[in-house]
Amino acid sequence: MTISTPQSVPALLARNVAQFGDKPAYREKEYGIWQSWTWAQAAAEIDALATGLLTLGANAGDHIAIIGRNRPAMYWGMVAAQKAGCVPVPLYQDAAAEEVAYALDHCGARFAIAGDQEQVDKIADVREGLTQLEHVIYLDGRGLRKYDHSAMTSYADVQAAGRASNMAAEMEARVAAQTYDDTCVMLYTSGTTGRPKGVVLSNRNIIETSKNSSEFDHLRPGDETVAYLPMAWVGDFIFSIGQAIWTGFCVNCPESEHTLATDLREIGPTYYFAPPRVFENQLTQVMIRMEDAGRVKKWLFDRFMATAKRVGPAMLDGTSVGLLDRLKYALGDVLVYGPLKNTLGFSRIRVGYTAGEAIGPEIFDFYRSLGINLKQLYGQTEASVFITQQPDGEVRGDTVGVASPGVELKIAENGEVFYRSPGTFVEYYKNAESTADTKDPEGWVATGDAGFVEEGSGHLRIIDRAKDVGKMADGSLFAPKYVENKLKFFPNVLEAVMFGNGREECTAFLNIDLTAVGNWAERNNIAYASYQELAGHPQVLETLRAHVEEVNRSVAADPMLAGCQVYRFLVLHKQLDADDGELTRTQKVRRKIIEEKFGDLIGALYDGSGEIYTETEVTYEDGRKGQITATLQIVDAAVAPVAARMAAQ
């Protein structure tokens, strides 16, 4: 750290106004038109809101909740909270009212900035139990005209009050008083194993991590990124606040989740991040379109994708490739790869990342074969995201890269990965016990993941969550995520959950992808009335059996994991859903809850049953509870012979 390093995000913003004042900082698409704000204009909007918060009585150290979709004004709300000396606490916009209530009560938020009527209603539903919440600021006032405004004000009116006030000097004094070790933001974990924990991150955590990671990938002021992931997720905070303000690049907010594909094409981001599920869904859409394509187009796609798979990643890494292959790839770029990248909005990507959970190697290789510089990183909320990154020229599907700048790694005797870095969180808010369990006095943090560092390359390989890795009855390794990702490579498979720890055989639950399988049904004139009916169709089950058996053959080729072949499976009668507690808000599987909720189904997979009747409680979009019943078929799958099975060391 140099002496001139700004000590807070507001101080970085002031630097950007001085250096890039007339350059675009934020864009938002509304009513089909892109609107832009320069750094100077964004700073003026932020100052007005920050002084407006002071007029409402915001005190230094107060927590201010932010809940809504990605919009420049919501990001400004986070920086304005910091300029007022407060702590922004972004929440998941799709969280249920009870989840919002827990976070607001836990952090003791006095103020909340809500994006629209939906978020205002969530807060209103639980407000009686929130004794510390004093005022709600709403951005979009549609539908709110007849609401009680005694403790509710529009975002624009708060800004107007700020502009009319004489509190600018107080705001600047609060900014000047901030130190490198003051709190920058508080973010809640996804709550995979229980109640979400409030992760306190300091200015040092965010700024040092943003600086190091930006320099690692040579990010620059002219870069463009698209902000569409949940604002409560640490990745979005680092990409859309930390790195954006450190580097000075432009953050683009799509009009809605439904227009994201179009908005991506219009912006053409140069720096892009998506979790594996997004890349899986995009690949599914590509495969669906190719199934509907004419014979010539399908033949061209298959032929040139075979070439891309063989030489594309090598060309991207600058490895020597034969002249004939280069010519074939160049022709494929004109006919297939270029148009496909343009359709996906990936034509200009210099740096692309995926993280959050492991991505299937086949999916990863598909994008790199197109010439997209997609890389993997490994991170956590507690690390301010970055633990490892993949350097250009050292990108592989089976590792998550080398330690990020400033990060130290070590592997415990039980295989768990530990790290120490400038981004290491300060504490879990109001939870000293969990803080001590996760971070030792020397600053080493337990990731909860099992892995190892390769000798020679220094690359980290993650096997699975440490608590999910186990052993089969014969002593061979049980690592479910490895096989689940292989299954999810198939467009028909949306989700997979494996079982087998301590057992003789592995079994699995599958969720079909309704879009992909529905498209197949329409092309084959197969009528269906519901997800449940399509999921149980005999032809769908046979197709999935073929997929499972293909994965089994692939798994059998890895002697360390050959014991993880799937012997039996069933297709669930409902999609796993965060509202039902089966997934986190970041779409990670909650294995323990699934094992408890569907214990009867797991039992049937192991007792030789051919079918099982089940009743399941579900949560509808309006919050009502209901019951669905089904009789599920259990399918046997052939396992592949293993030449040499090796027990885990």
Side-chain angles (χ1 to χ4, degrees):
M1 186 192 81
T2 63
I3 195 70
S4 60
T5 300
Q7 301 289 289
S8 65
V9 169
L12 276 175
L13 176 64
R15 182 208 66 178
N16 287 1
V17 172
Q19 292 184 4
F20 320 119
D22 60 349
K23 298 287 194 302
Y26 294 91
R27 289 195 195 94
E28 177 182 23
K29 193 177 185 184
E30 194 167 19
Y31 304 118
I33 299 170
W34 286 102
Q35 302 176 63
S36 295
W37 289 266
T38 65
W39 284 105
Q41 290 169 331
E45 296 285 342
I46 290 166
D47 285 353
L49 184 62
T51 48
L53 289 169
L54 297 186
T55 66
L56 289 174
N59 298 318
D62 282 347
H63 288 89
I64 299 180
I66 317 280
I67 180 167
R69 67 178 177 87
N70 312 76
R71 300 184 67 177
M74 300 303 281
Y75 289 112
W76 299 340
M78 286 198 271
V79 183
Q82 294 167 330
K83 292 206 77 167
C86 304
V87 178
V89 186
L91 307 178
Y92 287 98
Q93 71 175 75
D94 60 347
E98 294 76 17
E99 295 171 293
V100 172
Y102 170 78
L104 290 173
D105 180 62
H106 181 259
C107 74
R110 288 184 61 212
F111 302 93
I113 300 176
D116 54 24
Q117 183 184 18
E118 178 187 358
Q119 309 303 342
V120 169
D121 285 346
K122 282 182 195 176
I123 296 170
D125 288 345
V126 296
R127 187 149 187 176
E128 284 187 11
L130 300 174
T131 56
Q132 297 181 76
L133 184 65
E134 296 178 15
H135 211 91
V136 174
I137 300 163
Y138 60 86
L139 179 61
D140 186 342
R142 283 177 292 186
L144 298 175
R145 191 168 70 176
K146 294 185 178 180
Y147 281 46
D148 178 6
H149 278 64
S150 59
M152 190 167 69
T153 311
S154 77
Y155 190 104
D157 285 348
V158 174
Q159 285 186 309
R163 291 188 182 99
S165 75
N166 59 356
M167 305 194 76
E170 170 63 19
M171 174 190 69
E172 294 301 336
R174 292 191 185 185
V175 171
Q178 292 176 23
T179 71
Y180 220 33
D181 293 310
D182 283 346
T183 301
C184 177
V185 66
M186 189 164 85
L187 300 158
Y188 279 91
T189 61
S190 56
T192 310
T193 57
R195 282 288 198 181
K197 295 188 282 286
V199 181
V200 177
L201 298 174
S202 67
N203 290 319
R204 181 186 304 277
N205 295 153
I206 297 301
I207 294 174
E208 287 293 319
T209 300
S210 299
K211 175 175 77 73
N212 292 340
S213 57
S214 296
E215 291 174 353
F216 181 91
D217 281 309
H218 312 292
L219 303 181
R220 52 199 186 212
D223 281 325
E224 301 276 352
T225 189
V226 175
Y228 68 99
L229 294 164
M231 293 178 65
W233 180 58
V234 66
D236 186 69
F237 188 84
I238 281 290
F239 301 136
S240 303
I241 295 282
Q243 288 182 332
I245 294 186
W246 173 266
T247 306
F249 61 64
C250 184
V251 175
N252 299 273
C253 297
E255 188 160 17
S256 74
E257 60 180 315
H258 307 295
T259 66
L260 178 59
T262 302
D263 300 342
L264 263 176
R265 287 196 295 273
E266 291 178 357
I267 290 298
T270 59
Y271 180 46
Y272 180 73
F273 177 89
R277 186 176 291 265
V278 170
F279 286 111
E280 290 162 8
N281 291 343
Q282 288 174 315
L283 178 56
T284 296
Q285 294 298 326
V286 169
M287 295 306 183
I288 289 172
R289 285 199 295 270
M290 293 319 301
E291 289 297 329
D292 291 336
R295 290 176 61 186
V296 174
K297 195 171 184 180
K298 180 75 164 59
W299 180 84
L300 282 172
F301 178 81
D302 291 341
R303 187 175 182 86
F304 281 111
M305 283 310 303
T307 300
K309 185 177 181 180
R310 187 163 45 83
V311 303
M315 292 183 64
L316 191 59
D317 289 337
T319 307
S320 178
V321 173
L323 179 60
L324 182 59
D325 281 332
R326 285 186 176 276
L327 291 174
K328 285 182 181 178
Y329 192 89
L331 181 59
D333 196 41
V334 173
L335 297 176
V336 177
Y337 321 141
L340 179 54
K341 285 190 290 186
N342 184 58
T343 298
L344 294 171
F346 293 167
S347 296
R348 297 204 304 150
I349 288 179
R350 285 193 309 107
V351 181
Y353 270 113
T354 186
E357 61 176 329
I359 187 171
E362 296 87 352
I363 299 168
F364 186 67
D365 290 342
F366 172 83
Y367 287 97
R368 285 192 61 79
S369 71
L370 296 175
I372 298 168
N373 186 25
L374 178 61
K375 306 196 284 187
Q376 296 189 82
L377 67 84
Y378 173 59
Q380 289 187 326
T381 305
E382 291 85 347
S384 305
V385 178
F386 294 94
I387 298 174
T388 66
Q389 294 171 265
Q390 293 183 323
D392 291 332
E394 296 183 39
V395 180
R396 292 160 44 194
D398 60 348
T399 82
V400 290
V402 300
S404 294
V407 177
E408 301 171 77
L409 295 175
K410 73 175 182 180
I411 310 298
E413 289 185 7
N414 66 352
E416 186 173 2
V417 179
F418 283 73
Y419 69 88
R420 184 166 61 182
S421 80
T424 299
F425 74 121
V426 177
E427 64 178 353
Y428 290 126
Y429 189 63
K430 295 181 179 177
N431 197 337
E433 183 179 349
S434 289
T435 303
D437 287 344
T438 304
K439 183 174 68 168
D440 72 17
E442 295 180 347
W444 289 100
V445 179
T447 64
D449 290 319
F452 60 92
V453 177
E454 292 181 340
E455 291 186 18
S457 72
H459 279 242
L460 177 65
R461 288 187 67 175
I462 298 295
I463 299 171
D464 207 327
R465 292 291 293 171
K467 62 183 175 58
D468 294 333
V469 174
K471 289 188 177 182
M472 306 292 294
D474 65 359
S476 59
L477 185 68
F478 174 69
K481 182 58 72 176
Y482 175 80
V483 182
E484 290 164 0
N485 283 331
K486 283 184 172 290
L487 286 166
K488 289 195 290 182
F489 173 73
F490 296 99
N492 298 334
V493 180
L494 178 66
E495 191 59 78
V497 185
M498 271 188 64
F499 311 97
N501 190 27
R503 298 180 183 264
E504 298 285 345
E505 301 173 349
C506 286
T507 60
F509 290 167
L510 301 181
N511 264 165
I512 62 168
D513 187 298
L514 186 57
T515 303
V517 181
N519 182 269
W520 165 84
E522 289 174 16
R523 282 188 282 106
N524 290 276
N525 296 315
I526 294 173
Y528 64 95
S530 65
Y531 173 92
Q532 185 175 324
E533 185 177 335
L534 187 59
H537 194 282
Q539 286 179 256
V540 172
L541 296 179
E542 280 305 309
T543 300
L544 294 177
R545 186 208 303 266
H547 293 340
V548 170
E549 291 176 351
E550 184 176 338
V551 168
N552 282 346
R553 290 190 291 272
S554 173
V555 172
D558 187 332
M560 182 183 290
L561 295 163
C564 295
Q565 296 186 60
V566 176
Y567 283 72
R568 308 184 87 210
F569 71 91
L570 60 79
V571 181
L572 286 172
H573 50 302
K574 67 179 291 292
Q575 289 186 317
L576 298 178
D577 196 319
D579 287 343
D580 291 326
E582 299 146 352
L583 302 174
T584 68
R585 290 294 165 189
T586 52
Q587 302 301 298
K588 293 177 183 174
V589 169
R590 284 175 152 162
R591 294 182 186 275
K592 186 176 180 181
I593 290 176
I594 288 173
E595 289 173 2
E596 293 171 354
K597 187 171 185 176
F598 299 112
D600 58 333
L601 304 185
I602 298 173
L605 285 170
Y606 285 100
D607 67 11
S609 301
E611 62 181 30
I612 174 77
Y613 173 82
T614 188
E615 299 180 359
T616 307
E617 183 181 81
V618 295
T619 305
Y620 299 114
E621 287 188 4
D622 61 3
R624 290 182 299 112
K625 303 284 186 182
Q627 288 272 345
I628 59 172
T629 63
T631 299
L632 306 180
Q633 301 300 310
I634 296 175
V635 185
D636 292 307
V639 297
V642 183
R645 180 174 295 184
M646 182 173 67
Q649 299 300 313

